Amino acid sequence: MKRGGQMVYSGELGQHSSRLIEYFEGIPGVPKIKENHNPATWMLEVTSPSVEAQLGIDFALIYKESHLYKRNKEIVKSQSLPAQGSEKLQFSTPFPQNGWEQLKACLWKQHLSYWRSPKYNLARLAFTISSSSFYGALLWQKGQNLCSSVLPFISTQRTIVYRERFARMYSSWAYSVAQVIIEIPYIFLEAVLFLTITYPAVNFYGSAYKVFWYFYTVFCTLLYYKYLGM
């Protein structure tokens, strides 16, 4: 295909691309392929827009008027007709797996995506540590309230689109729920780091009850900003 999505050749390649070479060399003005030259590279070179302009031809138009194009159309037409006596295919569901299996597969995909691309999560954990240290010291000095130390933690959700979604291997809800669930352990770790650094730095009152509600507030705030970004 050339720029614009127009077909310039569709057919058999042949031994060492002999069919492809024979087709393009049969077009008047197209230079012959040199010995030991890569046929794929040669084909791209001779069908480039500059060569089209130089020769004053349109490879897409030539292909549409060729016997190869007509033969391909006939093949497609013949193969599109169902065999005599065959039954129409029917599926009870558009997806090959039930909802639970889809969710497990999507969760595993999200987990592997994060595990194989650690820069994103390592960066936000490093940001949590550095920012909580800075804001903890700032709060201790100026006595600011908790909200001012939590609000800066607005992170951007990476957009992950899988080809399987468009192939209807999984439903949209399975991907969405998986993206929501996979963030929870990472945000939990962020909240723990934030609590560990800022709570003693600000010198808040030390009680399990207050520590729990401090953690709960930070955790829910981070979840809120993350899901709002999604």
Side-chain angles (χ1 to χ4, degrees), residues 35-151:
E35 188 177 357
N36 295 326
H37 194 46
N38 187 339
T41 304
W42 172 80
M43 182 271 298
L44 292 174
E45 292 172 350
V46 299
T47 59
S48 63
S50 60
V51 174
E52 279 191 328
Q54 180 183 353
L55 300 178
I57 60 177
D58 186 344
F59 286 104
L61 182 60
I62 292 175
Y63 170 71
K64 285 186 177 180
E65 295 176 348
S66 67
H67 70 282
L68 182 62
Y69 175 79
K70 296 175 183 178
R71 191 193 71 174
N72 289 339
K73 280 290 189 181
E74 291 175 358
I75 292 175
V76 171
K77 185 177 180 180
S78 63
Q79 295 296 324
S80 300
L81 299 174
Q84 189 175 3
S86 61
E87 297 181 0
K88 185 178 179 180
L89 291 175
Q90 293 182 346
F91 300 95
S92 59
T93 173
F95 304 105
Q97 297 175 322
N98 59 40
W100 174 243
E101 294 298 327
Q102 290 181 50
L103 179 59
K104 288 195 297 183
C106 290
L107 272 173
W108 182 245
K109 282 177 175 288
Q110 292 283 17
H111 166 68
L112 288 180
S113 176
Y114 275 11
W115 182 255
R116 292 170 179 172
S117 305
K119 292 182 179 179
Y120 169 67
N121 287 307
L122 289 177
R124 66 174 176 175
L125 290 177
F127 177 75
T128 299
I129 295 172
S130 60
S131 299
S132 57
S133 300
F134 171 76
Y135 283 107
L138 186 65
L139 289 175
W140 180 80
Q141 292 174 2
K142 296 188 177 181
Q144 301 286 338
N145 81 31
L146 174 62
C147 291
S148 64
S149 65
V150 175
L151 290 177

Side-chain angles (χ1 to χ4, degrees), residues 103 106-108 110 173-183:
L103 179 59
C106 290
L107 272 173
W108 182 245
Q110 292 283 17
W173 76 264
Y175 277 100
S176 301
V177 173
Q179 285 184 332
V180 167
I181 294 176
I182 203 66
E183 280 291 335

Side-chain angles (χ1 to χ4, degrees), residues 157-226:
Q157 170 65 20
R158 295 186 305 170
T159 304
I160 304 173
V161 180
Y162 295 95
R163 290 174 296 178
E164 291 88 347
R165 178 173 183 176
F166 301 102
R168 299 191 69 80
M169 289 182 65
Y170 308 108
S171 58
S172 298
W173 76 264
Y175 277 100
S176 301
V177 173
Q179 285 184 332
V180 167
I181 294 176
I182 203 66
E183 280 291 335
I184 293 176
Y186 292 96
I187 294 178
F188 182 89
L189 180 57
E190 281 187 86
V192 169
L193 288 173
F194 188 87
L195 166 78
T196 305
I197 296 172
T198 59
Y199 202 91
V202 179
N203 198 24
F204 282 139
Y205 181 74
S207 73
Y209 174 80
K210 292 186 179 293
V211 168
F212 168 77
W213 282 112
Y214 184 88
F215 171 80
Y216 175 80
T217 303
V218 173
F219 180 68
C220 289
T221 303
L222 294 177
L223 280 178
Y224 169 78
Y225 284 123
K226 174 61 66 175

